[in-house]
Amino acid sequence: GEAMSIQTYNGAAIIAMSGQECVAIASDLRFGVQNQTLACDHKKVYRMHDRLYMGLSGLATDAQTLYKRFVFKHNLYRLREERDMRPQTFASMVSATLYEKRFGPYFVEPVIAGLDPEEGHAPFIAGMDSLGAMETAKDFMCAGTNSESLLGVCETFYRPGLGPEELFEVISQCMLSGVDRDALAGWGAVVYVISKDQCIARTLKGRMD
Amino acid sequence: FSPEGRLFQVEYAMESINNSGAAVGILAKDGVVLATEKRVTSKLLDTGAVGCRKEKMFQLDDHVAVAVAGLTADANILINQCRLAAQRHRMTLSEDIPLEQLVRGICDLKQGYTQFGGQRPFGVSLLYAGWDEEFGFQLFQSDPSGNYGGWKATAIGANHQQSQSMLRQDYQEDVGLSEALDLALKVIAKSMDSTSLAADRLEVATITREGGAVKYKLLTEAELKPRVEAANAAEEKKKEDK
């Protein structure tokens, strides 16, 4: 193989979008090591609790480890506070955790999507770089090996105030066409649509290349 | 050590726990019951305050809970350590911590305070209730010495000797959860000072399995009331019969 770039070693595509009293978060399913694809069922979106999901793009091993660390912290929070974490609190925690490793970082870019229980389940979307620099957005957040592509399709297809079903359609189209130009992401996708009372997960069939 | 080979500080710690509210644990074939007597019952207590709603009963992880007897402040430290141990295990091994490993870890911590550092032991006894895949439902007891044992039924705190002998007489193997609950309430009632049980002076929890997952349930006052009333009625009847 060629020279390894740690950010593109595994490959990923993640999109989060906000709608009317709902959010959606999607990731591709490819797991590969540089050019070689090893699996097409490797989700990059993780459930923290019923109304909070996190996507982790970048180096797969760091994503796995970070997810386990966040489960650790959230479990303790839930035992002590007797409630689930609010999305913004969780995002701050993720940011702090990443910054702790400022001079030897985790090679991941998180995307967080959830509903805020204290603001009438208002949608919450945030993303950050591998050092924890956080940005929240009202519309969508993208991360991955070809995030510019993803941003392009999202910018084109997104509109505010979409209901859960429409949001699912929009985010799915964005994901499937966004990964077409990315050799390291794709091979199917998974989409979670989170509303106040339920979360529906759907797997998309895409081009398997 | 004392000249007779005793550790007085450890014994004094265990003695101090006898002043605290009673806790009873019973192993049933389909779950574990923990019943405790609350001692702090002022009506000025803010029962909505997070983190201190409970006095005696605490969840440690999805599959294990403890009942506490002794110094509450000491107990808080141990409970936190238990929770951390459970999460550490989950993070590295991707599984629920087996109950005995959790108990052993905490007991090793407690034992340290009886041997080095010059610090006093923790004035806490704990009843651990939980489920793991290897051994199913389990009940453990630990004390300030760092000693622990697995039990089918046991009691700690005030009047625990009396409760223990009651359990020895009345406990039956393979009892169902409901009967275990009633037995636990009967034993707790006997050990409490007041003549009849009141649901707001108890914290009662069960560990069961539902749909493949372990469930920790702290009974509400509404759920406790009918059982408490039944226990009181049975006690009344026994007195009348005498």
Side-chain angles (χ1 to χ4, degrees):
Chain A
E2 335 65 34
M4 174 180 108
S5 162
I6 203 158
Q7 288 286 6
T8 58
Y9 188 71
N10 294 123
I14 305 192
I15 305 176
M17 270 191 189
S18 88
Q20 186 68 22
E21 293 173 356
C22 60
V23 286
I25 183 165
S27 83
D28 73 312
L29 291 174
R30 179 181 177 270
F31 174 67
V33 172
Q34 291 187 158
N35 293 336
Q36 186 175 40
T37 301
L38 294 170
C40 45
D41 60 357
H42 188 256
K43 300 184 183 122
K44 295 152 194 90
V45 176
Y46 302 92
R47 175 192 171 275
M48 299 315 302
H49 63 73
D50 283 345
R51 297 192 186 101
L52 178 58
Y53 283 70
M54 171 177 66
L56 288 169
S57 71
L59 198 62
T61 180
D62 282 358
Q64 278 180 355
T65 300
L66 267 180
Y67 167 63
K68 297 180 104 171
R69 285 193 68 193
F70 292 135
V71 166
F72 182 114
K73 293 182 178 207
H74 184 251
N75 279 350
L76 284 172
Y77 185 95
R78 208 180 37 206
L79 283 167
R80 290 167 181 153
E81 286 284 314
E82 297 180 15
R83 63 185 171 92
D84 286 326
M85 251 193 198
R86 293 176 70 188
Q88 36 276 78
T89 313
F90 182 74
S92 294
M93 184 182 79
V94 172
S95 171
T97 306
L98 291 175
Y99 195 78
E100 271 174 15
K101 305 281 186 199
R102 170 66 177 77
F103 301 108
Y106 288 109
F107 298 106
V108 294
E109 281 184 358
V111 173
I112 291 153
L115 300 173
D116 185 3
E118 274 177 46
E119 292 295 323
H121 299 291
F124 176 86
I125 304 244
M128 57 196 88
D129 67 9
S130 55
L131 300 181
M134 182 167 79
E135 276 302 324
T136 52
K138 286 204 161 62
D139 42 16
F140 50 84
M141 264 296 167
C142 304
T145 32
N146 202 353
S147 50
E148 297 91 341
S149 220
L150 300 171
L151 285 168
V153 275
C154 286
E155 203 67 66
T156 309
F157 293 138
Y158 179 82
R159 51 183 207 281
L162 293 166
E165 295 305 315
E166 297 172 296
L167 191 64
F168 165 70
E169 284 302 326
V170 170
I171 200 176
S172 301
Q173 294 299 337
C174 289
M175 177 58 78
L176 287 177
S177 50
V179 299
D180 273 350
R181 286 283 181 184
D182 185 354
L184 298 172
W187 287 76
V190 66
V191 183
Y192 294 83
V193 181
I194 306 139
S195 329
K196 191 171 59 137
D197 307 313
Q198 60 180 354
C199 171
I200 305 182
R202 296 181 182 89
T203 307
L204 307 178
K205 280 204 205 108
R207 288 178 61 107
M208 302 300 267
D209 61 1
Chain B
F1 285 97
S2 81
E4 307 97 69
R6 294 154 67 171
L7 289 173
F8 281 136
Q9 281 302 308
V10 176
E11 291 185 22
Y12 297 160
M14 300 210 255
E15 197 46 47
S16 88
I17 294 167
N18 293 337
N19 298 329
S20 114
V24 170
I26 302 182
L27 191 63
K29 68 172 186 283
D30 54 344
V32 194
V33 175
L34 291 172
T36 63
E37 169 207 350
K38 287 197 275 202
R39 279 288 167 93
V40 189
T41 49
S42 163
K43 71 173 184 222
L44 291 175
L45 265 181
D46 177 6
T47 50
V50 173
C52 50
R53 278 190 272 250
K54 310 292 170 302
E55 183 193 320
K56 308 282 288 180
M57 205 77 78
F58 300 89
Q59 193 175 9
L60 299 181
D61 197 359
D62 295 332
H63 64 299
V64 59
V66 273
V68 148
L71 274 49
T72 308
D74 286 11
N76 287 341
I77 304 291
L78 290 175
I79 288 161
N80 201 37
Q81 286 303 318
C82 285
R83 288 173 170 171
L84 285 169
Q87 289 310 308
R88 263 182 248 125
H89 184 100
R90 188 184 286 288
M91 187 158 106
T92 46
L93 293 148
S94 298
E95 63 168 20
D96 294 346
I97 187 169
L99 219 63
E100 191 172 343
Q101 277 190 44
L102 174 69
V103 175
R104 205 184 315 124
I106 288 300
C107 286
D108 288 350
L109 179 73
K110 290 208 246 188
Q111 187 277 341
Y113 284 74
T114 70
Q115 194 171 13
F116 10 72
Q119 293 169 299
R120 65 166 177 79
F122 289 95
V124 186
S125 278
L126 297 153
L127 291 180
Y128 312 75
W131 184 93
D132 63 46
E133 211 172 313
E134 192 67 22
F135 295 108
F137 290 109
Q138 294 152 80
L139 173 67
F140 285 93
Q141 175 186 336
S142 75
D143 62 28
S145 66
N147 221 1
Y148 73 91
W151 292 83
K152 296 176 189 171
T154 187
I156 53 178
N159 295 322
H160 68 98
Q161 275 130 332
Q162 178 195 334
S163 304
Q164 194 87 28
S165 49
M166 226 183 130
L167 285 169
R168 218 172 293 132
Q169 276 189 316
D170 295 343
Y171 175 77
Q172 276 152 347
E173 295 270 352
D174 285 339
V175 65
L177 193 77
S178 190
E179 293 105 310
L181 249 176
D182 290 331
L183 176 58
L185 288 174
K186 193 169 92 166
V187 171
I188 276 264
K190 210 57 198 260
S191 88
M192 281 164 76
D193 289 336
S194 59
T195 43
S196 69
L197 218 52
D200 65 354
R201 290 200 46 193
L202 299 172
E203 271 172 26
V204 181
T206 57
I207 294 269
T208 50
R209 284 195 90 215
E210 256 162 64
V214 187
K215 186 153 177 257
Y216 164 75
K217 184 173 156 67
L218 189 74
L219 273 65
T220 60
E221 240 183 84
E223 286 163 330
L224 271 175
K225 252 183 118 213
R227 288 190 188 266
V228 162
E229 278 163 10
N232 285 336
E235 191 58 30
E236 274 302 305
K237 192 168 177 302
K238 247 172 69 180
K239 285 191 188 143
E240 280 171 27
D241 286 349
K242 278 193 179 146

